């Protein structure tokens, strides 16, 4: 008797079960395993296992591809068949595919090994799961007695890699226990995009330069390391995930390391470093004391000795080391001692109040003097956001280059979504809001949004006050309350930020005050779990975005809003005026002018032609070209340019390396060819675009 193969059921539209499935508040999350076996010329056996944490549902099939095309094209035909089958199954049952593991057995793996070009369609299947079905894809070689067993094992592994208690989560962040290296995308097993996808979002001159510099790094075998305090939460971590992802595709040896978390130290680095340097507090209780210095320094040195020091194969073999912000800068002298040939770049991401840091006796002055004199001055190059006031005193401009922050067009924060995706994440948000006692988003009302960490510098009380004034103006114009836009205030947390809960609770208390309570049921204040797509969907569905930061470096969320063609109303704070063309792509308001914000909101909402002028401008080719500077490929060109210029390795520069002067002894940067460069606080792009020497 022929073997009976199990198939996914597809509910008929309009059937009772189909209608019932659509009544779910949120589609049930499922995790898939796909196993493929190449059986004979043009024939593929494949199995897919769907797992929801309780039971498996199995689909088995044989696909006969055209025998007149190449094996690679046969696999592409198989991709179409698998994607279509899985989509129809999930859509009819109203299931949500959160992640999928794609794999093959040893026999198929051997075929792929013999024909390396076959890897491309396998990777393409993964990218289609990501872009077409919004499912995070992984690739593994599978083991099992049958395809069904392999598929079930893959589905179970996928379920374990994620955090299933909340829909829409990204994979658990993996960190190597021996070196604290961040194993981005499950150490490369998650495959969401190929080089061709990045190329499609980048102009040709920039892309050609990226490939040229990547080739040089590979030829010279340069090793680039990033260091910061946390692998998740905040803009720095987001940029590093994206950078490592692209560098891996380019074949560049680029790695990222983080510290072992210590909550007591994070109170120091957030409240006594970050907040003080930004000038958001003048409370003397946050002045740095000797015991703070000792605790922080010992923590940095312990991390260095335990994970990255002599014999660990990390710092001692590095060519370029980039230190993100001051949290770990106490290891810079240790790096210099262990590996004198390593070139050290300090990257400042925050708005440093250089005016306050210049005042003798101020908290900012004493803190910066401590950080610069003992640690950061040992760096070869200081990278600042492109705002003159962000460069602290005592940092010579000859040693300063400028670099804006970046985001990634292809990750969960920015990729395109279907209307079904947007509705799904709206419901996910409402569940999260309900769990926190906050109102949700109405399906038939517009909303204004500010996405930011709950941080004292983000101006969240001003957002609430601006909204109150906006609602009052709409009421004066006799516009029905049901037509008034809602307000969303939301964002992720970060393990190195102890202020999040404090600020969140302050806003909740603020909404209970008499002047705000009439609007409280239209203000959604929610701390969200780690789900990039959730933030992306909320921003894409919004009417417009706010960014009322009192202190800001270079706000990634402004770039992300503009790239989704959302006008942004923002304060003239930090680097934000460099991101927004006032009156064209957004509206800039003086810091603290909440009435001005309300006036801008009212005009955008009531004057549709005025609103559409912003949207039309944001959609122009000119604006798309300008925004490229703030995306991962362009940013990666900057980093690779710096690496190839600064590194000694690969140029026969042993003599030059031995002659390297102490960083503190020269005005400028000692380059890999032995010259001293005066950077003149110039954009890094000016050097590689215009061949400045």
């Amino acid at each position: 008797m022929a073997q009976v193969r199990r198939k996914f059921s597809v509910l008929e539209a309009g059937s009772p079960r189909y209608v019932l499935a659509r009544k779910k508040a949120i589609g049930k999350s499922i995790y898939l395993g796909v196993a493929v076996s190449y059986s004979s010329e043009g024939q593929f056996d494949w199995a897919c296992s769907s797992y929801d944490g309780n039971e498996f549902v199995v689909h088995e099939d044989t696909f006969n591809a055209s025998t007149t095309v190449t094996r690679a094209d046969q696999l592409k035909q198989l991709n179409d068949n698998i994607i279509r089958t899985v989509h129809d199954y999930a859509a009819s049952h109203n299931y949500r595919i959160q992640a999928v593991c794609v794999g093959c057995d040893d026999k198929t793996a051997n075929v792929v090994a013999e024909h390396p070009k076959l890897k491309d369609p396998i990777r393409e299947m993964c990218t289609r799961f990501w872009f077409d079905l919004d499912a995070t894809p992984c690739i593994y070689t599978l083991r099992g007695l049958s395809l069904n067993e392999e598929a079930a094992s893959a589905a179970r592994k996928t379920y374990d890699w994620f955090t299933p208690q909340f829909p829409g989560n990204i994979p658990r962040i993996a960190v190597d226990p021996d070196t604290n290296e961040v194993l981005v995308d499950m150490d490369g097993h998650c495959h969401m995009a190929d080089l061709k996808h990045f190329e499609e979002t980048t102009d040709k001159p920039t892309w050609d330069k990226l490939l040229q510099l990547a080739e040089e790094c590979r030829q010279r075998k340069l090793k680039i390391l990033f260091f910061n305090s946390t692998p998740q939460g905040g803009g720095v971590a987001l940029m590093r995930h994206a950078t490592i992802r692209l560098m891996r595709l380019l074949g560049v040896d680029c790695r990222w390391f983080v510290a072992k978390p210590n909550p007591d130290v994070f109170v120091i680095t957030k409240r006594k470093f970050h907040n003080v340097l930004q000038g958001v507090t003048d409370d003397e209780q946050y002045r740095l004391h000797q015991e703070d210095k000792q605790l922080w320094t010992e923590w940095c040195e312990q991390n260095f000795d335990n994970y990255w020091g002599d014999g660990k194969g990390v710092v001692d073999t590095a060519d370029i080391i980039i230190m993100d912000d001051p949290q770990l800068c106490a290891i810079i002298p240790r790096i210099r001692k262990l590996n004198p040939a390593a070139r050290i770049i300090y990257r400042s991401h925050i708005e440093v109040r250089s005016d306050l840091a210049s005042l003798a006796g101020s908290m900012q002055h004493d803190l910066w003097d401590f950080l610069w004199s003992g640690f950061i001055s040992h760096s070869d190059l200081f990278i600042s956001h492109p705002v003159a006031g962000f460069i602290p005193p005592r940092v010579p401009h000859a040693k300063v280059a400028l670099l804006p922050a970046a985001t990634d067009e292809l990750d969960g924060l920015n990729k395109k979504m279907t209307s079904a995706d947007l509705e799904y994440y709206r419901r996910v948000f409402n569940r999260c809001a309900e769990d926190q006692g906050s109102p949700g988003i109405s399906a038939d009302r517009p909303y204004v949004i500010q996405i930011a960490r709950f941080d004292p510098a983000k101006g969240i009380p001003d957002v609430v006050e601006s909204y109150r004034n906006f609602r009052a103006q709409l009421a004066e114009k006799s516009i029905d309350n049901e037509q008034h836009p809602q307000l969303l205030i939301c964002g992720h947390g970060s393990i190195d930020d102890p202020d999040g809960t404090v600020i969140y609770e302050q806003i909740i208390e603020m909404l209970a005050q008499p002047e705000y309570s009439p609007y409280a049921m239209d203000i959604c204040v929610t701390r969200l779990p780690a789900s990039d797509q959730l933030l992306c969907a909320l921003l894409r569905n919004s009417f417009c975005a706010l960014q009322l930061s009192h202190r800001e470096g270079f706000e990634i969320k402004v770039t992300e809003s503009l790239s989704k063609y959302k006008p942004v109303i923002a304060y003239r704070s930090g680097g934000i005026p460099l991101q927004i063309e006032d009156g064209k792509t957004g509206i800039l308001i003086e810091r603290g002018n909440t009435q001005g914000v309300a006036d801008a909101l009212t005009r955008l909402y009531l004057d549709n032609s005025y609103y559409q002028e912003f949207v039309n401008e944001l959609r122009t080719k000119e604006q798309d070209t300008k925004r490229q500077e703030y995306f991962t490929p362009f940013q990666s060109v900057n980093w690779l340019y710096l690496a190839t210029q600064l590194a000694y390795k690969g140029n026969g520069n042993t003599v030059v390396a031995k002659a390297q002067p102490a960083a503190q002894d020269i005005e400028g940067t000692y380059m890999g060819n032995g010259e001293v460069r005066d950077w003149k606080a110039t954009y890094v792009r000016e050097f590689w675009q215009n061949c400045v020497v």
Side-chain angles (χ1 to χ4, degrees):
M1 180 181 295
Q3 180 183 4
V4 177
R5 290 193 158 187
R6 290 167 287 182
K7 304 285 186 181
F8 284 152
S9 64
V10 177
L11 301 181
E12 182 180 351
S15 68
R17 287 185 61 198
Y18 182 91
V19 173
L20 184 63
R22 254 114 221 101
K23 291 183 178 180
K24 299 174 186 174
I26 299 179
K28 183 170 72 172
S29 294
I30 58 173
Y31 300 79
L32 302 184
V34 177
V36 178
S37 178
Y38 186 85
S39 57
S40 62
E41 188 65 32
Q43 188 178 80
F44 300 88
D45 290 324
W46 67 279
C48 181
S49 183
S50 168
Y51 184 55
D52 64 359
N54 294 306
E55 61 179 351
F56 294 96
V57 177
V58 176
H59 179 93
E60 308 163 276
D61 210 345
T62 297
F63 178 74
N64 293 298
S66 171
T67 57
T68 61
V69 298
T70 64
R71 285 180 173 176
D73 286 335
Q74 289 175 349
L75 276 171
K76 290 181 180 179
Q77 292 176 0
L78 174 65
N79 290 351
D80 292 337
N81 179 257
I82 292 175
I83 295 291
R84 182 171 56 252
T85 301
V86 168
H87 170 270
D88 291 348
Y89 164 68
S92 74
H93 288 271
N94 195 21
Y95 292 157
R96 186 71 188 184
I97 305 170
Q98 298 294 347
V100 57
C101 178
V102 177
C104 55
D105 58 11
D106 287 331
K107 177 182 177 181
T108 305
N110 291 335
V111 173
V112 173
E114 294 172 7
H115 304 84
K117 288 186 178 180
L118 296 182
K119 292 181 181 179
D120 293 338
I122 294 175
R123 290 172 176 158
E124 183 180 290
M125 183 193 299
C126 290
T127 63
R128 288 192 60 186
F129 270 111
W130 176 243
F131 291 116
D132 296 355
L133 301 184
D134 190 37
T136 304
C138 309
I139 301 179
Y140 268 88
T141 299
L142 306 177
R143 299 286 184 272
L145 299 177
S146 66
L147 280 178
N148 288 341
E149 185 176 311
E150 292 171 359
S153 175
R156 188 171 57 249
K157 289 179 185 295
T158 307
Y159 181 85
D160 291 341
W161 293 332
F162 287 72
T163 310
Q165 70 264 27
F166 194 88
N169 273 8
I170 59 177
R172 290 191 176 98
I173 303 299
V175 176
D176 184 280
D178 296 323
T179 63
N180 266 27
E181 178 182 0
V182 182
L183 305 177
V184 173
D185 293 342
M186 300 298 292
D187 202 16
H189 287 292
C190 289
H191 187 82
M192 296 177 286
D194 290 314
L195 281 178
K196 68 177 183 180
H197 298 107
F198 285 99
E199 183 177 8
E200 289 168 358
T201 66
T202 310
D203 65 59
K204 191 175 188 305
T206 301
W207 186 253
D208 289 345
K209 189 67 176 180
L210 177 64
L211 296 183
Q212 173 200 328
L213 292 170
E215 174 64 20
E216 182 177 348
C217 286
R218 292 194 300 269
Q219 291 293 329
R220 293 170 61 183
K221 298 181 180 179
L222 298 185
K223 182 177 179 180
I224 304 168
L225 309 183
F226 287 93
F227 285 86
N228 80 314
S229 60
T230 174
Q232 189 173 23
V236 175
L238 291 170
M239 283 191 286
R240 295 300 158 253
H241 279 282
T243 300
I244 299 299
R245 185 178 299 126
L246 179 55
M247 294 293 189
R248 182 182 287 134
L249 290 173
L250 291 166
V252 175
D253 187 355
C254 185
R255 302 161 68 190
W256 170 27
F257 299 85
V258 295
K260 185 176 181 179
N262 182 322
D264 293 332
V265 172
F266 289 156
V267 169
I268 296 171
T269 58
K270 181 57 170 64
R271 294 178 178 169
K272 297 189 176 185
F273 283 13
H274 188 279
N275 290 356
V276 169
L277 288 174
Q278 285 197 316
V280 298
T281 179
D282 57 4
D283 192 330
E284 279 293 320
Q285 69 172 312
Y286 297 122
R287 183 180 289 275
L288 197 67
H289 298 292
Q290 184 57 40
E291 56 268 28
D292 300 321
K293 298 177 183 178
Q294 183 174 345
L295 175 61
W296 170 72
T297 304
E298 289 177 352
W299 174 72
C300 290
E301 293 176 347
Q302 286 172 1
N303 274 277
F304 184 87
D305 294 339
N306 292 340
Y307 301 114
W308 314 313
D310 193 14
K312 304 293 185 182
V314 179
V315 166
D316 46 8
T317 60
D319 298 296
I320 302 292
I321 293 176
I322 297 127
M323 188 69 53
D324 282 311
D325 280 337
Q327 288 91 336
L328 279 171
C329 70
I331 71 172
I332 292 177
R334 293 284 188 106
I335 294 171
R336 187 65 78 195
K337 182 178 180 181
L338 177 61
N339 184 357
R343 315 312 310 280
I344 303 172
I345 301 172
Y346 178 83
R347 182 22 167 149
S348 176
H349 294 272
I350 62 176
E351 177 183 355
V352 178
R353 287 290 302 275
S354 58
D355 55 338
L356 297 178
S358 300
L359 295 175
S362 70
M363 290 192 293
Q364 290 78 12
H365 177 277
D366 294 349
L367 171 61
W368 181 249
D369 184 66
F370 168 68
L371 294 174
W372 172 257
S373 301
F375 312 107
I376 299 173
S377 63
H378 294 268
S379 305
D380 296 294
L381 180 63
F382 186 101
I383 300 286
S384 170
H385 284 314
V387 179
F390 286 14
I391 303 171
R394 299 181 60 185
V395 183
H397 282 210
K399 199 188 288 282
V400 176
L402 306 179
L403 200 63
T407 186
D408 194 279
E409 281 192 281
L410 303 177
D411 67 10
L413 287 167
N414 295 290
K415 72 188 184 86
K416 292 179 172 58
M417 292 183 163
T418 66
S419 58
D421 293 334
L422 296 176
E423 174 59 17
Y424 167 76
Y425 286 112
R426 184 187 71 84
R427 296 187 180 200
V428 168
F429 174 84
N430 284 351
R431 174 183 288 182
C432 186
E434 182 179 2
D435 289 344
Q436 298 179 39
S438 177
I441 307 169
S442 172
D444 53 5
R445 290 176 66 186
Y447 59 83
V448 179
I449 189 170
Q450 173 159 311
I451 297 178
R453 287 184 296 113
F454 287 87
D455 181 290
K458 297 300 181 180
I460 299 177
D462 285 20
V463 173
V464 177
E465 173 62 14
S466 298
Y467 181 72
R468 183 187 71 82
N469 290 333
F470 169 52
R471 288 291 298 266
Q473 290 182 12
L474 295 184
E476 288 175 1
K477 297 179 182 297
S478 301
I479 296 173
D480 187 77
N481 280 345
E482 292 302 312
Q483 298 180 30
H484 292 190
Q486 294 177 277
L487 172 65
L488 266 65
I489 301 172
C490 57
H492 293 160
S494 177
I495 63 170
D496 67 341
D497 185 359
D499 287 330
T501 299
V502 175
I503 302 301
Y504 171 79
E505 291 177 351
Q506 286 178 357
I507 299 304
I508 298 302
E509 292 175 1
M510 182 178 180
L511 294 180
Q513 296 174 11
E515 60 267 42
Y516 302 109
S517 59
Y519 312 108
M521 292 309 297
D522 284 334
I523 301 176
C524 314
V525 182
T526 311
R527 300 183 73 184
L528 298 175
S531 172
D532 291 349
Q533 293 100 301
L534 178 55
L535 292 185
C536 178
L538 292 174
L539 199 47
R540 285 195 180 279
N541 262 341
S542 67
F543 160 67
C544 73
L546 301 179
Q547 195 60 57
L548 304 188
S549 300
H550 283 230
R551 299 294 168 194
E552 194 60 77
F554 205 90
E555 180 49 65
I556 294 292
K557 289 296 172 236
V558 170
T559 299
E560 292 172 358
S561 301
L562 298 177
S563 70
K564 296 173 181 61
Y565 314 128
K566 303 298 178 182
V568 180
I569 302 172
Y571 281 163
R572 295 182 184 273
S573 297
I576 291 177
L578 297 175
Q579 299 173 264
I580 296 174
E581 294 182 56
D582 191 20
K584 291 183 68 176
T585 62
I587 301 170
L588 293 173
I589 306 292
E590 294 306 317
R591 187 184 301 133
N593 184 4
T594 56
Q595 186 61 55
V597 175
D599 293 343
L601 280 170
T602 300
R603 186 176 179 190
L604 279 176
Y605 183 58
L606 296 181
D607 188 341
N608 185 63
S609 61
Y610 178 67
Y611 176 84
Q612 201 59 43
E613 287 176 10
F614 287 94
V615 176
N616 292 340
E617 175 64 28
L618 288 166
R619 290 181 179 275
T620 62
K621 178 65 176 177
E622 178 186 1
Q623 292 298 331
D624 278 340
T625 301
K626 289 179 180 179
R627 284 193 293 268
Q628 279 196 31
E629 182 180 359
Y630 309 135
F631 293 128
T632 303
F634 199 103
Q635 185 85 309
S636 297
V637 174
N638 289 320
W639 286 124
L640 294 183
Y641 172 79
L642 292 173
T644 55
Q645 291 289 301
L646 290 171
Y648 299 125
K649 185 195 290 181
N651 278 338
N653 287 339
T654 305
V655 174
V656 172
K658 289 182 178 179
Q660 175 182 335
Q664 307 98 309
D665 294 341
I666 57 173
E667 292 284 322
T669 300
Y670 189 71
M671 305 299 286
N673 60 7
E675 298 177 357
V676 176
R677 176 177 294 182
D678 181 351
W679 293 89
K680 300 177 181 178
T682 304
Y683 278 89
V684 175
R685 68 165 189 256
E686 297 292 333
F687 290 84
W688 60 264
Q689 284 184 327
N690 301 321
C691 299
V692 175
V693 179

